[in-house]
Amino acid sequence: MSAIRMDGKMVSAKVRGSILAEVEALKAQGVRPGLAVILVGDDPASKVYVRNKERACEECGIYSEKYALPAETTQEEVLALIDKLNKDPNISGILCQMPVPKHIDADAIIDAIDVTKDVDAFHPVNVGKIMIGDFDFLPCTPAGVMELLDEYGIDPKGKECVVIGRSNIVGKPQAMLLLHRHGTVTICHSRTANLKEVCARADILVAAVGKAKFVTADMVKEGAAVIDVGMNRDENGKLCGDVCFDEVNEKAGYLTPVPGGVGPMTITMLMKNTLKAAKLQHGIAD
């Protein structure tokens, strides 16, 4: 028996439909959500992400502005742009595509974004709010994972949840969201002893390690829900995740494909955050 495939494209289309309906209702009240995306340099993967974000904005009826800046742009110039966007009433959300060139301090950029326009939820204030469970925005990838779990009726409550990876963008916030939903959470990383055994206990396993086909069948519990956050290239240059799909597919109960699993959900959650930001800024209750 192969795993039930968790279709991020399908779930994403459904969520975008409801976002579009809400955006149209807001526009009728004279409020138009707007997203500004800043791209510094010419990282090819970043260009693809930015293009996908523009398309998603179109699909959801959200106004968008793109600022493609040359790699030699100074930190001061980026900060000046953020300051301008912070003050712009047409912009509900600001996102600076990471990574930025080495001469720019990413933390300084994140800190400069208005907390109510921080649709990536990377600002320390928003990170703190997630920690205590009283948040306005959630980081897009972990929020997308939770949306997928909900869609497939997988409740973390009382379950063993294992997150592989401890990044500020995915691993840590993912663990917090599972914890808020009453999961028993373990975070694994490169120094974890008995990694295989820890992962094999998981009812819900989230792989966010950034290594192609890292998770093999012997690391997965029979019938587990396996969420693959990875975006890698295999030895043939083909897009793949952190999970060895064919192997794990025979053992897991639920499994996200790459591409078409978590990826579409991430951008959809960005749209959801932009809508939420517009409501917050205009005092409109959820």
Side-chain angles (χ1 to χ4, degrees):
M1 268 284 283
S2 53
I4 292 167
R5 188 172 294 205
M6 300 172 82
D7 187 345
K9 280 186 184 164
M10 178 270 290
V11 180
S12 177
K14 194 168 149 183
V15 176
R16 286 185 194 191
S18 65
I19 293 170
L20 176 61
E22 276 203 70
V23 168
E24 293 305 326
L26 275 188
K27 283 183 189 168
Q29 299 174 52
V31 175
R32 188 183 188 190
L35 176 68
V37 179
I38 302 167
L39 175 63
V40 188
D42 46 15
D43 180 76
S46 292
K47 280 183 173 173
V48 172
Y49 290 140
V50 169
R51 199 159 57 242
N52 288 343
K53 283 163 187 170
E54 286 178 299
R55 282 197 201 119
C57 282
E58 278 171 39
E59 213 178 299
C60 295
I62 291 170
Y63 165 69
S64 75
E65 289 182 1
K66 181 176 87 173
Y67 295 86
L69 310 174
E72 58 275 13
T73 303
T74 66
Q75 182 166 309
E76 288 63 36
E77 286 168 324
V78 180
L79 292 173
L81 172 59
I82 290 170
D83 185 52
K84 181 175 86 95
L85 294 169
N86 280 339
K87 294 169 182 162
D88 187 340
N90 296 316
I91 297 300
S92 325
I94 303 167
L95 178 151
C96 186
Q97 185 67 46
M98 299 294 167
V100 287
K102 296 243 185 323
H103 65 279
I104 294 174
D105 177 1
D107 290 340
I109 300 301
I110 290 164
D111 289 352
I113 295 171
D114 184 320
V115 171
T116 65
K117 294 191 176 190
D118 170 37
V119 286
D120 256 337
F122 290 167
H123 192 286
V125 168
N126 286 325
V127 172
K129 286 181 159 197
I130 293 158
M131 192 76 180
I132 60 172
D134 178 22
F135 44 79
D136 296 313
F137 307 118
L138 290 173
C140 302
T141 299
V145 169
M146 299 310 288
E147 195 88 35
L148 273 176
L149 291 174
D150 288 344
E151 179 66 30
Y152 284 87
I154 300 162
D155 185 357
K157 186 178 178 180
K159 299 221 169 70
E160 283 264 11
C161 305
V162 174
V163 179
I164 316 173
R166 53 177 164 179
S167 74
N168 292 335
I169 294 170
V170 181
K172 288 179 194 169
Q174 186 68 70
M176 289 313 302
L177 297 192
L178 290 163
L179 189 60
H180 291 323
R181 298 283 290 276
H182 313 297
T184 300
V185 185
T186 305
I187 304 175
C188 294
H189 44 79
S190 56
R191 309 285 194 284
T192 301
N194 309 323
L195 178 69
K196 194 185 288 184
E197 290 79 1
V198 177
C199 292
R201 293 201 307 257
D203 302 303
I204 299 172
L205 178 63
V206 182
V209 73
K211 289 185 180 175
K213 302 179 183 177
F214 180 79
V215 175
T216 47
D218 57 353
M219 295 167 74
V220 174
K221 180 180 180 178
E222 193 81 45
V226 181
I227 313 289
D228 191 349
V229 178
M231 269 290 196
N232 314 294
R233 297 271 170 195
D234 66 12
E235 59 282 1
N236 305 313
K238 194 166 169 268
L239 202 60
C240 70
D242 289 349
V243 175
C244 197
F245 187 89
D246 295 339
E247 256 188 51
V248 172
N249 192 33
E250 300 305 309
K251 200 170 179 187
Y254 295 85
L255 180 59
T256 60
V258 177
V262 176
M265 296 303 302
T266 296
I267 294 178
T268 298
M269 294 300 112
L270 175 65
M271 300 300 108
K272 203 172 180 177
N273 281 349
T274 305
L275 169 62
K276 178 82 184 274
K279 286 180 175 176
L280 278 174
Q281 288 150 34
H282 289 87
I284 298 165
D286 247 343

Coordinates of all heavy atoms in Angstrom, one line a residue, residues 7-70:
D7 N -1.7 16.6 -1.6 CA -1.6 17.4 -2.8 C -1.6 18.9 -2.4 O -2.7 19.5 -2.2 CB -2.8 17.1 -3.7 CG -2.7 17.7 -5.0 OD1 -2.0 18.7 -5.2 OD2 -3.5 17.3 -5.9
G8 N -0.5 19.5 -2.4 CA -0.3 21.0 -2.1 C -1.0 21.9 -3.1 O -1.5 22.9 -2.8
K9 N -0.9 21.4 -4.4 CA -1.5 22.3 -5.4 C -3.0 22.4 -5.2 O -3.6 23.4 -5.4 CB -1.2 21.6 -6.8 CG 0.2 21.9 -7.3 CD 0.4 21.4 -8.7 CE 1.8 21.6 -9.2 NZ 2.1 20.8 -10.4
M10 N -3.6 21.3 -4.9 CA -5.1 21.2 -4.8 C -5.5 22.1 -3.5 O -6.4 22.9 -3.6 CB -5.5 19.8 -4.6 CG -7.0 19.6 -4.4 SD -7.5 19.6 -2.6 CE -6.8 18.0 -2.1
V11 N -4.8 21.8 -2.4 CA -5.2 22.6 -1.2 C -4.9 24.1 -1.4 O -5.7 24.9 -1.0 CB -4.4 22.0 0.0 CG1 -4.7 22.8 1.3 CG2 -4.6 20.5 0.2
S12 N -3.8 24.4 -2.0 CA -3.4 25.7 -2.3 C -4.5 26.5 -3.1 O -4.9 27.6 -2.8 CB -2.1 25.7 -3.0 OG -1.7 27.0 -3.3
A13 N -5.0 25.8 -4.2 CA -6.0 26.4 -5.0 C -7.3 26.7 -4.2 O -7.9 27.8 -4.4 CB -6.3 25.5 -6.2
K14 N -7.6 25.8 -3.3 CA -8.8 26.0 -2.5 C -8.6 27.2 -1.6 O -9.5 28.0 -1.5 CB -8.9 24.7 -1.7 CG -10.2 24.5 -1.0 CD -10.3 23.0 -0.5 CE -11.1 22.9 0.8 NZ -11.1 21.6 1.3
V15 N -7.5 27.3 -0.9 CA -7.2 28.4 0.0 C -7.2 29.7 -0.8 O -7.7 30.7 -0.3 CB -5.9 28.2 0.8 CG1 -5.6 29.4 1.7 CG2 -6.0 26.9 1.6
R16 N -6.5 29.7 -2.0 CA -6.4 30.9 -2.8 C -7.8 31.4 -3.2 O -8.1 32.6 -3.3 CB -5.5 30.7 -4.0 CG -4.1 30.7 -3.6 CD -3.2 30.6 -4.8 NE -1.8 30.3 -4.4 CZ -0.7 30.3 -5.2 NH1 -0.9 30.7 -6.5 NH2 0.5 30.0 -4.8
G17 N -8.7 30.5 -3.4 CA -10.1 30.8 -3.8 C -10.7 31.6 -2.7 O -11.4 32.6 -2.9
S18 N -10.5 31.2 -1.4 CA -11.2 31.9 -0.3 C -10.5 33.2 0.0 O -11.1 34.2 0.4 CB -11.2 31.0 1.0 OG -9.9 30.7 1.4
I19 N -9.1 33.3 -0.3 CA -8.4 34.6 -0.1 C -9.0 35.6 -1.1 O -9.3 36.7 -0.8 CB -6.9 34.4 -0.3 CG1 -6.3 33.5 0.8 CG2 -6.2 35.7 -0.4 CD1 -4.9 33.1 0.6
L20 N -9.1 35.1 -2.4 CA -9.7 36.0 -3.4 C -11.0 36.6 -3.1 O -11.3 37.8 -3.2 CB -9.7 35.3 -4.8 CG -10.4 36.1 -6.0 CD1 -9.5 37.3 -6.3 CD2 -10.5 35.2 -7.2
A21 N -11.9 35.7 -2.5 CA -13.2 36.2 -2.1 C -13.1 37.2 -1.0 O -13.8 38.3 -1.1 CB -14.0 35.0 -1.6
E22 N -12.2 37.0 -0.1 CA -12.0 38.0 1.0 C -11.4 39.3 0.5 O -11.8 40.4 1.0 CB -11.1 37.4 2.1 CG -11.9 36.6 3.1 CD -11.1 36.5 4.4 OE1 -11.0 37.5 5.2 OE2 -10.6 35.4 4.7
V23 N -10.5 39.2 -0.4 CA -9.8 40.4 -1.0 C -10.9 41.2 -1.7 O -10.9 42.5 -1.6 CB -8.7 40.0 -1.9 CG1 -8.2 41.2 -2.8 CG2 -7.5 39.5 -1.1
E24 N -11.8 40.6 -2.5 CA -12.8 41.3 -3.2 C -13.8 42.0 -2.3 O -14.2 43.1 -2.5 CB -13.6 40.3 -4.1 CG -12.8 39.7 -5.3 CD -12.1 40.7 -6.2 OE1 -12.7 41.8 -6.4 OE2 -11.0 40.5 -6.7
A25 N -14.1 41.3 -1.2 CA -15.0 41.9 -0.1 C -14.3 43.2 0.5 O -14.9 44.2 0.7 CB -15.3 40.9 1.0
L26 N -12.9 43.1 0.7 CA -12.2 44.2 1.2 C -12.2 45.4 0.2 O -12.3 46.5 0.6 CB -10.7 43.8 1.6 CG -10.4 43.2 2.9 CD1 -8.9 43.1 3.0 CD2 -11.0 43.9 4.1
K27 N -12.0 45.1 -1.0 CA -11.9 46.1 -2.1 C -13.2 46.9 -2.1 O -13.3 48.1 -2.3 CB -11.6 45.5 -3.4 CG -10.2 45.1 -3.6 CD -10.0 44.6 -5.0 CE -8.6 44.0 -5.3 NZ -8.5 43.2 -6.5
A28 N -14.3 46.1 -1.9 CA -15.7 46.8 -1.8 C -15.8 47.8 -0.7 O -16.5 48.7 -0.8 CB -16.8 45.7 -1.7
Q29 N -14.9 47.6 0.3 CA -14.9 48.6 1.5 C -13.8 49.6 1.2 O -13.5 50.4 2.1 CB -14.6 47.8 2.8 CG -15.6 46.8 3.2 CD -15.1 46.0 4.4 OE1 -14.8 46.6 5.4 NE2 -15.1 44.7 4.3
G30 N -13.2 49.6 0.1 CA -12.1 50.6 -0.3 C -10.7 50.2 0.2 O -9.8 51.1 0.3
V31 N -10.5 49.0 0.6 CA -9.2 48.5 1.1 C -8.7 47.5 0.1 O -9.3 46.5 -0.2 CB -9.3 47.8 2.5 CG1 -8.0 47.3 2.9 CG2 -9.8 48.8 3.5
R32 N -7.5 47.8 -0.5 CA -6.8 46.8 -1.4 C -5.5 46.3 -0.8 O -4.6 47.1 -0.7 CB -6.6 47.5 -2.7 CG -6.1 46.5 -3.8 CD -5.8 47.2 -5.1 NE -5.6 46.1 -6.1 CZ -5.1 46.4 -7.3 NH1 -4.8 47.7 -7.7 NH2 -4.9 45.5 -8.2
P33 N -5.4 45.1 -0.4 CA -4.1 44.6 0.1 C -3.0 44.7 -1.0 O -3.3 44.5 -2.2 CB -4.4 43.1 0.4 CG -5.9 43.0 0.5 CD -6.4 44.0 -0.4
G34 N -1.8 45.1 -0.5 CA -0.7 45.2 -1.4 C 0.6 44.6 -0.9 O 0.8 44.8 0.3
L35 N 1.3 44.0 -1.7 CA 2.6 43.3 -1.3 C 3.8 43.9 -2.1 O 3.7 44.0 -3.3 CB 2.5 41.8 -1.6 CG 3.8 41.0 -1.3 CD1 4.1 41.0 0.2 CD2 3.7 39.6 -1.8
A36 N 4.8 44.3 -1.4 CA 6.0 44.8 -2.0 C 7.1 43.7 -1.8 O 7.4 43.3 -0.7 CB 6.5 46.1 -1.4
V37 N 7.7 43.3 -2.9 CA 8.8 42.3 -2.8 C 10.1 42.9 -3.3 O 10.2 43.5 -4.3 CB 8.5 41.1 -3.7 CG1 9.6 40.0 -3.6 CG2 7.2 40.4 -3.3
I38 N 11.1 42.8 -2.4 CA 12.5 43.4 -2.7 C 13.4 42.2 -3.0 O 13.5 41.3 -2.3 CB 13.0 44.2 -1.5 CG1 12.0 45.3 -1.1 CG2 14.4 44.7 -1.8 CD1 12.4 45.9 0.2
L39 N 14.1 42.3 -4.2 CA 15.0 41.3 -4.6 C 16.4 42.0 -4.9 O 16.4 42.9 -5.7 CB 14.5 40.6 -5.9 CG 15.4 39.6 -6.6 CD1 15.7 38.4 -5.6 CD2 14.8 39.1 -7.9
V40 N 17.4 41.6 -4.1 CA 18.7 42.2 -4.3 C 19.6 41.2 -4.9 O 19.8 40.1 -4.4 CB 19.3 42.7 -3.0 CG1 20.6 43.5 -3.2 CG2 18.3 43.6 -2.2
G41 N 20.2 41.5 -6.1 CA 21.1 40.6 -6.8 C 20.3 39.7 -7.8 O 19.1 39.9 -8.0
D42 N 21.0 38.7 -8.3 CA 20.4 37.9 -9.4 C 20.5 36.4 -9.1 O 20.7 35.6 -10.0 CB 20.9 38.3 -10.7 CG 22.5 38.3 -10.7 OD1 23.1 37.8 -9.7 OD2 23.1 38.9 -11.7
D43 N 20.2 36.0 -7.8 CA 20.1 34.6 -7.5 C 19.0 33.9 -8.3 O 17.9 34.4 -8.2 CB 19.9 34.5 -6.0 CG 19.8 33.0 -5.5 OD1 20.9 32.4 -5.4 OD2 18.7 32.5 -5.3
P44 N 19.3 32.9 -9.1 CA 18.3 32.3 -10.0 C 17.1 31.8 -9.3 O 16.0 32.0 -9.7 CB 19.0 31.3 -10.8 CG 20.5 31.3 -10.4 CD 20.6 32.3 -9.3
A45 N 17.3 31.1 -8.2 CA 16.2 30.5 -7.4 C 15.3 31.6 -6.8 O 14.1 31.5 -6.9 CB 16.8 29.6 -6.3
S46 N 16.0 32.7 -6.4 CA 15.2 33.8 -5.8 C 14.3 34.4 -6.9 O 13.2 34.8 -6.7 CB 16.1 34.9 -5.3 OG 16.7 34.4 -4.1
K47 N 14.8 34.5 -8.1 CA 14.1 35.1 -9.2 C 12.8 34.3 -9.5 O 11.7 34.8 -9.7 CB 14.9 35.1 -10.5 CG 15.9 36.3 -10.6 CD 16.6 36.3 -11.9 CE 17.5 37.6 -12.0 NZ 18.3 37.5 -13.2
V48 N 12.9 32.9 -9.4 CA 11.8 32.0 -9.7 C 10.8 32.2 -8.6 O 9.6 32.4 -8.8 CB 12.3 30.5 -9.7 CG1 11.1 29.6 -9.7 CG2 13.1 30.3 -10.9
Y49 N 11.2 32.3 -7.3 CA 10.3 32.5 -6.2 C 9.5 33.8 -6.3 O 8.3 33.9 -6.1 CB 11.1 32.5 -4.8 CG 11.6 31.2 -4.4 CD1 12.9 31.1 -3.8 CD2 10.9 30.0 -4.6 CE1 13.4 29.9 -3.4 CE2 11.4 28.8 -4.2 CZ 12.7 28.7 -3.6 OH 13.2 27.5 -3.2
V50 N 10.3 34.9 -6.7 CA 9.6 36.2 -6.8 C 8.6 36.2 -7.9 O 7.5 36.7 -7.8 CB 10.7 37.3 -7.1 CG1 10.1 38.6 -7.5 CG2 11.5 37.5 -5.8
R51 N 8.9 35.5 -9.0 CA 8.0 35.4 -10.1 C 6.7 34.7 -9.7 O 5.6 35.1 -10.0 CB 8.6 34.7 -11.3 CG 7.9 34.9 -12.6 CD 8.8 34.7 -13.9 NE 9.3 33.3 -13.9 CZ 10.7 33.1 -13.9 NH1 11.5 34.0 -13.8 NH2 11.1 31.8 -13.9
N52 N 6.9 33.6 -8.9 CA 5.7 32.8 -8.4 C 4.9 33.7 -7.4 O 3.7 33.5 -7.4 CB 6.2 31.5 -7.7 CG 6.8 30.5 -8.7 OD1 6.5 30.6 -9.9 ND2 7.5 29.6 -8.2
K53 N 5.6 34.5 -6.7 CA 4.8 35.4 -5.7 C 4.0 36.4 -6.5 O 2.8 36.7 -6.1 CB 5.8 36.1 -4.8 CG 6.3 35.1 -3.7 CD 7.5 35.6 -3.0 CE 8.0 34.5 -2.0 NZ 9.3 34.8 -1.5
E54 N 4.5 36.9 -7.6 CA 3.8 37.9 -8.4 C 2.5 37.2 -9.0 O 1.5 37.8 -9.0 CB 4.7 38.4 -9.6 CG 5.7 39.4 -9.1 CD 6.6 39.8 -10.3 OE1 7.3 39.0 -10.9 OE2 6.6 41.0 -10.6
R55 N 2.7 36.0 -9.5 CA 1.6 35.2 -10.1 C 0.5 35.0 -9.0 O -0.7 35.1 -9.3 CB 2.0 33.9 -10.6 CG 2.7 34.0 -12.0 CD 2.8 32.6 -12.7 NE 3.9 32.7 -13.6 CZ 4.9 31.9 -13.6 NH1 5.1 31.0 -12.7 NH2 5.8 31.9 -14.6
A56 N 0.9 34.6 -7.8 CA 0.0 34.3 -6.7 C -0.8 35.6 -6.4 O -2.0 35.5 -6.1 CB 0.7 33.8 -5.5
C57 N -0.1 36.8 -6.4 CA -0.8 38.0 -6.1 C -1.9 38.3 -7.1 O -3.0 38.6 -6.8 CB 0.2 39.2 -6.1 SG 1.2 39.3 -4.6
E58 N -1.6 38.1 -8.4 CA -2.6 38.2 -9.5 C -3.8 37.3 -9.2 O -4.9 37.8 -9.3 CB -1.9 37.9 -10.8 CG -1.1 39.0 -11.4 CD -0.4 38.5 -12.7 OE1 -0.9 37.7 -13.5 OE2 0.8 39.0 -12.9
E59 N -3.5 36.1 -8.9 CA -4.5 35.1 -8.7 C -5.5 35.4 -7.5 O -6.6 35.1 -7.5 CB -3.9 33.7 -8.4 CG -4.6 32.5 -8.9 CD -3.8 31.3 -8.6 OE1 -2.7 31.1 -9.1 OE2 -4.4 30.4 -7.9
C60 N -4.9 36.1 -6.5 CA -5.6 36.4 -5.3 C -6.1 37.8 -5.2 O -6.7 38.3 -4.2 CB -4.8 36.2 -4.0 SG -4.3 34.4 -3.8
G61 N -5.9 38.6 -6.3 CA -6.4 39.9 -6.4 C -5.7 40.9 -5.6 O -6.1 42.0 -5.3
I62 N -4.4 40.6 -5.2 CA -3.6 41.4 -4.4 C -2.7 42.3 -5.3 O -2.0 41.8 -6.2 CB -2.8 40.6 -3.4 CG1 -3.7 40.0 -2.4 CG2 -1.6 41.4 -2.7 CD1 -3.0 38.9 -1.5
Y63 N -2.6 43.6 -5.0 CA -1.8 44.5 -5.7 C -0.3 44.2 -5.4 O 0.0 43.9 -4.2 CB -2.1 45.9 -5.3 CG -1.1 47.0 -5.6 CD1 -0.9 47.4 -6.9 CD2 -0.4 47.7 -4.6 CE1 0.0 48.4 -7.2 CE2 0.5 48.6 -4.9 CZ 0.7 49.0 -6.2 OH 1.6 50.0 -6.5
S64 N 0.6 44.2 -6.3 CA 2.0 43.9 -6.0 C 3.0 44.8 -6.7 O 2.7 45.3 -7.8 CB 2.3 42.4 -6.4 OG 2.5 42.3 -7.7
E65 N 4.1 45.1 -6.0 CA 5.2 45.9 -6.5 C 6.4 45.1 -6.3 O 6.6 44.4 -5.3 CB 5.3 47.2 -5.7 CG 4.2 48.2 -5.9 CD 4.4 49.5 -5.2 OE1 5.4 49.6 -4.4 OE2 3.6 50.4 -5.3
K66 N 7.3 45.1 -7.4 CA 8.6 44.4 -7.3 C 9.7 45.4 -7.4 O 9.7 46.2 -8.3 CB 8.7 43.3 -8.4 CG 10.0 42.5 -8.3 CD 10.0 41.4 -9.3 CE 10.6 41.9 -10.6 NZ 10.8 40.8 -11.6
Y67 N 10.7 45.2 -6.5 CA 11.9 46.1 -6.6 C 13.1 45.2 -6.8 O 13.6 44.5 -5.9 CB 12.0 46.9 -5.3 CG 10.9 47.9 -5.1 CD1 9.7 47.5 -4.4 CD2 11.0 49.2 -5.5 CE1 8.7 48.4 -4.3 CE2 10.0 50.1 -5.3 CZ 8.8 49.7 -4.7 OH 7.8 50.6 -4.6
A68 N 13.5 45.1 -8.1 CA 14.7 44.2 -8.4 C 15.9 45.1 -8.4 O 16.1 46.0 -9.3 CB 14.5 43.6 -9.7
L69 N 16.7 45.0 -7.4 CA 17.9 45.9 -7.2 C 19.2 45.2 -7.6 O 19.3 44.0 -7.4 CB 18.0 46.3 -5.7 CG 16.7 46.9 -5.1 CD1 16.9 47.2 -3.6 CD2 16.3 48.2 -5.8
P70 N 20.1 45.9 -8.2 CA 21.4 45.2 -8.5 C 22.2 44.7 -7.3 O 22.0 45.2 -6.2 CB 22.2 46.3 -9.3 CG 21.5 47.6 -8.9 CD 20.1 47.3 -8.5

